[in-house]
Amino acid sequence: LIQCTFYNVMSITTSARTVPSWSISSSSGGAVANNTWLRCYFDNLALDNGQYQIYIACTGANQYHLGQSFRDCYFEHSFGGAIQSLSGYELVIDNCTAWDIFSGQGQTISNSTWYIGQYSGARASTATRIMSCTRNSNGPNGSSTWDIFCESTCSQVLVESFSIKNQLTFQQNAFFNFNGCADVVLVNN
């Protein structure tokens, strides 16, 4: 999957899943490269909390996927998490929204919303940018689930202008866990 643009795609799941809604991986370094998801809508109507809506990874020894961009995308009911990226280089999550992930929907949150990590034996994720993203409601709990979770192997992570929609009936905290990864920059959150 190289240099593809997914524009205005609507992806809705209506039953419990055993795999992510979208699963993209390769054992060849760079075989998943320079793809853009623009103004896409992902809805987990089944309220499944066991799987990410998008899983993207490179599984090859000392390899990585590169240049994935999610821009202006909307993730609804992401109780199992919105995006899990393993062994990525230059991942961009820009102006994306996670919506309606609160206990009043009849489900619990089991995964962090944005998860950045390393596939065993592949390269560590580097140069991740998460900018101008938001969520509503109470979302992750900050002890076992997070808005942004980065494994300790990650480096060069930028989080800029992350916000929570102001709603008086829900807590207003954003939860980040970087696990001591190197070169984290937080700007205007």
Side-chain angles (χ1 to χ4, degrees):
L1 188 65
I2 299 175
Q3 294 185 350
C4 294
T5 299
F6 301 90
Y7 177 73
N8 210 23
V9 171
M10 182 177 283
S11 177
I12 300 173
T13 56
T14 58
S15 60
R17 298 171 276 126
T18 57
V19 296
S21 296
W22 289 59
S23 184
I24 303 162
S25 67
S26 174
S27 60
S28 299
V32 177
N34 303 321
N35 300 298
T36 300
W37 286 261
L38 179 62
R39 292 184 167 198
C40 295
Y41 174 81
F42 304 91
D43 195 346
N44 172 26
L45 278 179
L47 306 182
D48 180 273
N49 73 341
Q51 301 296 324
Y52 278 88
Q53 289 175 298
I54 295 176
Y55 169 81
I56 191 162
C58 184
T59 61
N62 202 31
Q63 299 296 321
Y64 52 75
H65 68 80
L66 60 107
Q68 308 308 310
S69 297
F70 295 87
R71 298 183 187 279
D72 301 319
C73 293
Y74 189 92
F75 297 84
E76 190 157 1
H77 304 114
S78 52
F79 290 99
I83 297 173
Q84 182 181 36
S85 172
L86 302 179
S87 299
Y89 179 70
E90 293 185 343
L91 170 69
V92 174
I93 303 171
D94 181 22
N95 201 38
C96 291
T97 299
W99 205 258
D100 286 346
I101 49 173
F102 60 95
S103 58
Q105 293 286 319
Q107 187 55 280
T108 58
I109 298 168
S110 65
N111 292 322
S112 297
T113 306
W114 319 108
Y115 186 106
I116 314 302
Q118 180 178 8
Y119 193 89
S120 180
R123 289 190 182 184
S125 289
T126 303
T128 298
R129 294 177 292 157
I130 301 173
M131 305 169 300
S132 301
C133 291
T134 188
R135 71 163 161 83
N136 77 327
S137 305
N138 53 340
N141 62 25
S143 62
S144 62
T145 58
W146 309 86
D147 287 294
I148 299 170
F149 182 93
C150 294
E151 293 179 1
S152 62
T153 55
C154 297
S155 63
Q156 300 175 2
V157 177
L158 168 68
V159 178
E160 181 177 351
S161 299
F162 190 93
S163 65
I164 306 297
K165 181 181 180 287
N166 186 9
Q167 227 171 299
L168 297 177
T169 59
F170 298 107
Q171 54 89 348
Q172 305 298 310
N173 299 320
F175 297 110
F176 306 152
N177 187 345
F178 300 110
N179 292 295
C181 63
D183 304 319
V184 174
V185 176
L186 299 171
V187 179
N188 196 35
N189 294 294

